[in-house]
Amino acid sequence: MAELILVIDDDKELGELLCEYMEPEGFDVEVAHNGADGLELVDKNSYCIIILDIMLPGGQNGFDILQRIRRKYKIPVIMLTARGEEVDRIIGLEMGADDYLPKPFNPRELIARIRAVLRRVQAEEEESSSTVYRAGDLLLDTVMREVKKSGQPVKLTGVEYSLLEVFLRNSGSVLSRDTLVSEVLDRPLLPYDRSLDVHICNLRRKLDLENDETTSIKAIRGSGYIFISSSMSQE
């Protein structure tokens, strides 16, 4: 059975092109040309992923739509941004987008990004054995997919959760940016791609690691990142 994708973009030619490319790849595509119609479809149907353009007509841009989607749903979202607009990509990732792709793009690359995101989501859903990681006052439960800091729940995006799990699983080891992008985003690291750094920055902020004397995520110049904790255990 084909998986259902929602494209929210006012470019009608692009919508037709994506339908043409994606249907032979096993995806059914529905297209909304403004944010209001897109949100209505999200409430009515079950989508495996949403492709969301930042520039939309009707008074609501892609950031507004993403924010409203994230209030109710955990559906993966890939943002489409204008080429060179790095600030848009950073904002989108900070607001909970799973990935981004600058326009213009090759439809085959979008399909590759979609498959990468869906593989990650499927792997998370198929996690069967319960593992609880503790690092200082930080706790991550892999079955409950729950993260707590000082006993309080921490709301993370899917990418941020995956990042934290990889860091906890490899605590004390330096992980290259290539390794992290491959494991967490399930794609190769691209030139000038700063999405990983944005996700890590968001993770540090949400976990308040700047003020944590026992636990930290440190950047190792020329090498990558390392997760360090003075108290680490796995159950």
Side-chain angles (χ1 to χ4, degrees):
M1 184 175 179
E3 295 185 277
L4 188 60
I5 291 176
L6 175 61
V7 176
I8 306 177
D9 195 308
D10 64 334
D11 187 334
K12 295 183 178 180
E13 290 185 4
L14 177 61
E16 293 173 358
L17 178 65
L18 293 181
C19 289
E20 180 183 336
Y21 269 87
M22 290 183 182
E23 288 177 358
E25 297 290 332
F27 298 107
D28 283 339
V29 180
E30 293 187 348
V31 181
H33 297 300
N34 60 66
D37 290 346
L39 289 172
E40 186 175 344
L41 287 172
V42 172
D43 287 333
K44 289 181 178 179
N45 302 306
S46 179
Y47 297 101
C48 68
I49 197 165
I50 296 172
I51 311 302
L52 175 61
D53 189 21
I54 288 179
M55 302 299 292
L56 293 172
Q60 294 187 96
N61 62 30
F63 298 135
D64 299 323
I65 303 305
L66 175 62
Q67 191 173 43
R68 293 185 62 178
I69 291 172
R70 281 289 168 262
R71 288 174 187 166
K72 298 174 64 176
Y73 304 103
K74 293 184 178 180
I75 307 169
V77 176
I78 296 178
M79 302 287 290
L80 301 180
T81 69
R83 184 171 296 279
E85 294 297 328
E86 184 173 2
V87 64
D88 285 347
R89 304 172 201 175
I90 292 173
I91 293 172
L93 294 172
E94 288 178 341
M95 293 179 67
D98 294 82
D99 205 350
Y100 65 82
L101 192 61
K103 288 182 172 183
F105 57 84
N106 187 318
R108 292 188 179 277
E109 182 177 0
L110 177 58
I111 291 172
R113 296 288 185 100
I114 289 170
R115 293 197 184 284
V117 171
L118 294 180
R119 281 195 299 269
R120 175 178 58 76
V121 171
Q122 183 179 9
E124 292 169 358
E125 292 176 348
E126 290 177 352
E127 181 71 48
S128 57
S129 60
S130 176
T131 301
V132 176
Y133 295 98
R134 300 180 187 273
D137 61 355
L138 177 65
L139 177 146
L140 182 147
D141 187 319
T142 60
V143 165
M144 300 299 293
R145 289 188 61 78
E146 183 178 62
V147 175
K148 291 185 177 181
K149 183 76 184 293
S150 300
Q152 298 300 312
V154 180
K155 186 176 181 180
L156 301 180
T157 66
V159 173
E160 291 161 0
Y161 175 89
S162 297
L163 258 177
L164 180 58
E165 185 177 354
V166 170
F167 276 130
L168 289 169
R169 196 167 63 240
N170 297 277
S171 179
S173 300
V174 177
L175 299 173
S176 69
R177 298 179 77 250
D178 299 79
T179 297
L180 287 168
V181 169
S182 176
E183 284 207 36
V184 176
L185 299 179
D186 197 18
R187 60 174 172 80
L189 178 64
L190 303 174
Y192 311 110
D193 185 350
R194 310 305 298 176
S195 58
L196 173 68
D197 308 281
V198 175
H199 287 305
I200 290 176
C201 181
N202 292 339
L203 186 59
R204 283 172 170 154
R205 174 176 52 80
K206 290 182 179 182
L207 298 178
D208 194 26
L209 295 185
E210 299 299 328
N211 299 312
D212 193 325
E213 297 180 355
T214 65
T215 304
S216 63
I217 299 173
K218 295 185 178 296
I220 308 300
R221 187 176 179 85
S223 297
Y225 290 91
I226 185 171
F227 182 91
I228 301 173
S229 178
S230 60
S231 175
M232 183 72 198
S233 65
Q234 177 179 339
E235 302 170 8

